[in-house]
Structure formats: structure tokens, C-alpha cells
Amino acid sequence: MVYTTTDIDKVLSYKTWSNKRKSDELLRMDCNMYCNLGSDSTKSERTAVRVVSRKIYSAIKTVDDSLGTLLIQTIDPKK
């Protein structure tokens, strides 16, 4: 399952959740996508998961700047 920006925005919009809970949920979503990839996954599926991961990491950066920056640098060391 590949999550959409709507799913990411939904997590960010929760007012009663702490920033830690939001970042934990976003990381859970990211982990779930990577766990569902398998050896039979196509290159386009892997690319789609990577693109959504960048969006998730950018969303985490809005909640926790240091963690988000670290995750973005890890997935794309050029930046």
C-alpha cells in the first residue's frame, strides 16, 4: 500500500496528537510501505515508495526539524 498526501496531511492535522505521536505514525506508514515491497516488486513500485518516503520525511520535518532533516539527508545524500 502506497500512502497519499491526503493520508500524510490527515496525520499532521490531528490537534490532540503530540508531535512525537505524529512523527511515530508517519514513520509507521513509511515502514509499512517498505515492508510490503518484495523481491517481485517492480522498479516503478520501488520508485513510488521512495517518492512517498520523501514526502513523509518532509512532513516529519515540519513536526520535528532535526529528525526530518536527518531522514531527508539519509534518503538523498546529495542534498
Side-chain angles (χ1 to χ4, degrees):
M1 171 181 196
V2 176
Y3 291 96
T4 63
T5 54
T6 306
D7 299 322
I8 297 168
D9 291 339
K10 184 177 172 184
V11 171
L12 291 176
S13 68
Y14 291 140
K15 301 286 186 207
T16 57
W17 284 15
S18 67
N19 287 342
K20 182 181 179 342
R21 185 169 178 191
K22 289 177 187 178
S23 61
D24 286 347
E25 178 63 20
L26 290 168
L27 288 172
R28 187 201 60 79
M29 291 165 53
D30 188 50
C31 180
N32 188 12
M33 288 189 311
Y34 278 107
C35 286
N36 287 326
L37 286 178
S39 59
D40 60 340
S41 297
T42 63
K43 186 174 182 175
S44 63
E45 290 173 332
R46 292 179 189 272
T47 304
V49 167
R50 191 171 174 94
V51 166
V52 174
S53 279
R54 276 200 192 110
K55 291 178 184 177
I56 288 173
Y57 296 161
S58 295
I60 291 173
K61 187 174 180 177
T62 64
V63 175
D64 184 357
D65 188 53
S66 61
L67 177 62
T69 302
L70 180 65
L71 291 169
I72 290 171
Q73 288 174 349
T74 303
I75 197 169
D76 195 12
K78 293 181 281 183
K79 290 186 179 180

